[in-house]
Amino acid sequence: MSLFGRFALLIFAVLLACGPAHAEKRVALVIGNSAYKNVARLANPANDATLIGGMFKKAGFDTVDVKLDLTVVDMRKALRDFGNKARDADVAVIYYAGHGIELDGNNYLIPTDAALETDTDVLDEAFPLDRVLFAIEPAKQLRLVILDACRDNPFAKTMRRTVASRAIGRGLAKVEPTSPNTMIAFAAKAGSTASDGDSKNSPFAAALVERLPTPGLDLRKAFGFVRDDVLKNTGYKQEPYVYGSLGGDDVPLIAAKPVGTGPQASPDSEIRRDYELALQLGTREGWTAFLNRCPSGFYTDLAKGQLNKIAAEETRTVAADKARQAEDEKARLVADRAKKAEQDKAAAAAKAAEDARQAAEKIKQVEEAKAAAAEQRRKDAEAAVAKALADKQAAEKALADKIANDKAASEQAAKLATEKAQRDGEQKVAAVAPTQSAPSLSPQETAKLVQSELRRVGCLTGAAEGEWNAAAQRSLTLFNKHAGTKLDTKLASFDALDAIKSKQGRVCPLVCDRGSRADGDTCVKITCRAGYRVNDDNECEKVQDKKPVATREDGKPRDDERKKSEGTPARPQATGQIFCNNTGCRPARKGCRLETGTGVASQREVCN
């Protein structure tokens, strides 16, 4: 390229850098499938989708569609609608959390109503990843798909194979996007599974929210930080992976905030830009122009070092040319059989030229090393400044978020206090600033909240009616026993409410009535086979159909029972009294008296 062409390129780059910036249109679709109908429910995808959707909204995306628990029909409609929005967008992002499956090297996302009884059902009941890529295809600058769908898939374990050789992989398969500026991020690399996590959100989603919103951070570097975070938090069992490629420029999900005119603004930002342009040009003319504009300063010293490197190269080139010419002259004299004195003179000149060339080569190497070291120091210094600025911005953002949250909490507390005053018929509300203490609620409202939380952790079986009665006190006592707390059971307090809310799952063991047994968090009826019944120990026992035989006090059968067994019916003599036992009633025999009995019979007959 000619010198004029290089200067024209330099001017064009400067004009391009100084041109007006146009606002990008960014759209996002977030899907979280948790409530699967034919396999066990996933705990975190719905929570993860809500968290990621909030991140995109805070990042200023123009459109953020959060969809939860989509069936095959709902999922098809969501992708179709989002494809229409992506047509005039610069950045399009799709995040999916839920089950996915790999079939014959192709990846599919599974809606909540899928059954997948056979491997061929995948083609009809699931969505291929290519369909998702088709939805973001129209975006002009960046197409990003984030898949937290590498979980251990229960469908693959029960699915019938129609072809024995058909492969159903573990996790998702590796992909290679064909469209430019397209990235696909997996929660775990191809062929491995991801963890759903023990907390409210998966490790992958938590790391995304921590890293992606950093202003000005290139996506490739952001996903590198996500990888490091997930590896650390999962004990190096789960490694996220990114497929696809971007260009040489940084591609942040959120553009860097413009530097204001206050103390944060760097006075060397424009000089740095000119320095980097001159560095790309790499000519004496470019560095001379830079030094004429910036005669002093940090970047001026760097530019002088670059000029010294160019001068050393020029000196080396001249010395090399002279050495070559001297060698040529020496060879010519030898060929022409010149006088020995002329040959010696030419040899001495050639040696001097070679020495000069070697000296110039050493000088060039020294100057190149100096320039490289200076350039590395420049990059390190700029990186340190950028990190300090990013840390300061992060601290300012955290402080702003805390102030906003405190303000929202204060406003909510004030609203609750006002509503309570209106319900109680107060005519005037004291105009006092809300404090950071708990909102003022009536004892009935507080009791109802505590009872609701006790029901959630399995310590209260009755309804949350707002009356702190003996049953509620017993349930709180039960919570203290199993949670290891020492809460006052005589009243419903906010301390008790906070302590119960801190428990994520069931605290009190499930107790079922007679005839039922515990199955997870529910009681199911005990069913015994024919001829068996549930006894007092809640176990199935065989039914005894043997009838009792009335006996006398000495253990021998009564006369009427003996005669009945011998075929001769007993003939009791009427006495005017009626004798009743478990076999029925009859007149008492003559000469016998009746006494009150116990057990099965209500009376007994005593005969002399």
Side-chain angles (χ1 to χ4, degrees), residues 313-329 349-350 353-354 356-358 360:
E313 173 61 20
E314 292 174 347
T315 302
R316 186 198 67 80
T317 302
V318 171
D321 290 341
K322 289 182 177 180
R324 186 175 61 256
Q325 292 173 5
E327 285 293 333
D328 293 342
E329 179 65 17
E354 178 62 21
R357 184 193 68 78
Q358 293 179 359

Side-chain angles (χ1 to χ4, degrees), residues 89-326:
D90 298 293
V91 176
V93 184
I94 292 181
Y95 171 87
Y96 172 81
H99 276 310
I101 193 170
E102 181 252 321
L103 180 68
D104 284 342
N106 298 314
N107 298 318
Y108 297 83
L109 309 184
I110 304 178
T112 56
D113 59 346
L116 303 186
E117 296 178 355
T118 66
D119 49 8
T120 57
D121 293 341
V122 174
L123 304 177
D124 299 321
E125 299 177 7
F127 283 89
L129 180 58
D130 289 342
R131 176 65 184 89
V132 178
L133 295 175
F134 185 82
I136 64 172
E137 179 68 24
K140 301 177 183 64
Q141 296 182 12
L142 173 65
R143 307 168 188 90
L144 175 62
V145 177
I146 305 174
L147 297 180
D148 195 357
C150 310
R151 296 169 173 82
D152 192 11
N153 192 347
F155 289 99
K157 300 176 182 178
T158 59
M159 185 184 300
R160 298 195 305 273
R161 309 295 199 274
T162 59
V163 178
S165 60
R166 178 162 289 146
I168 298 178
R170 184 171 180 263
L172 298 181
K174 180 180 178 181
V175 294
E176 290 296 342
T178 56
S179 302
N181 297 328
T182 301
M183 291 184 68
I184 302 176
F186 283 5
K189 65 180 180 181
S192 61
T193 58
S195 171
D196 203 29
D198 298 327
S199 60
K200 184 178 179 182
N201 297 106
S202 72
F204 184 59
L208 289 175
V209 174
E210 178 68 20
R211 298 297 185 179
L212 289 189
T214 304
L217 181 63
D218 181 63
L219 275 178
R220 287 156 292 197
K221 196 165 186 179
F223 278 110
F225 289 141
V226 170
R227 169 193 173 275
D228 295 343
D229 292 346
V230 174
L231 278 173
K232 180 179 179 181
N233 294 331
T234 60
Y236 294 89
K237 296 179 180 179
Q238 177 182 339
E239 180 182 5
Y241 217 84
V242 178
Y243 301 92
S245 63
L246 302 178
D249 295 333
D250 287 352
V251 183
L253 187 67
I254 302 174
K257 296 180 180 179
V259 180
T261 58
Q264 294 181 354
S266 173
D268 292 338
S269 58
E270 186 175 355
I271 299 176
R272 172 189 172 185
R273 184 194 63 192
D274 293 343
Y275 173 86
E276 290 176 347
L277 290 174
L279 184 64
Q280 293 177 8
L281 190 59
T283 63
R284 176 181 290 275
E285 293 80 3
W287 289 117
T288 302
F290 176 82
L291 289 174
N292 290 337
R293 182 177 178 184
C294 306
S296 62
F298 172 71
Y299 289 98
T300 300
D301 295 337
L302 296 177
K304 291 178 180 178
Q306 295 291 339
L307 268 180
N308 291 337
K309 185 176 76 171
I310 292 174
E313 173 61 20
E314 292 174 347
T315 302
R316 186 198 67 80
T317 302
V318 171
D321 290 341
K322 289 182 177 180
R324 186 175 61 256
Q325 292 173 5

Side-chain angles (χ1 to χ4, degrees), residues 25-61:
K25 181 175 181 180
R26 299 175 296 168
V27 295
L29 172 63
V30 180
I31 300 175
N33 285 346
S34 284
Y36 282 90
K37 300 178 181 179
N38 297 297
V39 294
R41 175 186 177 89
L42 286 174
N44 285 340
N47 299 334
D48 295 341
T50 303
L51 181 68
I52 298 296
M55 176 193 74
F56 287 133
K57 290 177 182 178
K58 290 181 180 179
F61 271 60

Side-chain angles (χ1 to χ4, degrees), residues 394-469:
E396 292 176 350
K397 181 178 181 300
L399 179 60
D401 291 343
K402 183 178 183 304
I403 294 174
N405 292 337
D406 292 345
K407 182 179 179 182
S410 299
E411 292 175 351
Q412 181 65 17
K415 180 180 178 182
L416 291 174
T418 303
E419 291 176 353
K420 178 182 179 300
Q422 292 176 350
R423 287 195 303 268
D424 294 345
E426 295 179 1
Q427 301 298 324
K428 184 177 180 180
V429 179
V432 295
T435 64
Q436 299 298 325
S437 61
S440 177
L441 298 177
S442 66
Q444 291 77 14
E445 292 170 331
T446 305
K448 189 171 183 180
L449 290 174
V450 176
Q451 287 173 330
S452 298
E453 290 299 315
L454 286 171
R455 279 179 56 85
R456 181 182 63 81
V457 297
C459 297
L460 177 65
T461 57
E465 299 176 348
E467 180 181 356
W468 195 250
N469 50 25

Side-chain angles (χ1 to χ4, degrees), residues 347-378:
K351 184 177 184 307
E354 178 62 21
D355 293 342
R357 184 193 68 78
Q358 293 179 359
E361 182 70 28
K362 291 181 180 179
I363 293 174
K364 176 201 169 187
Q365 293 175 358
V366 170
E367 293 298 332
E368 286 180 345
K370 289 181 179 179
E375 184 65 16
Q376 185 60 44
R377 289 194 298 272
R378 176 185 74 86

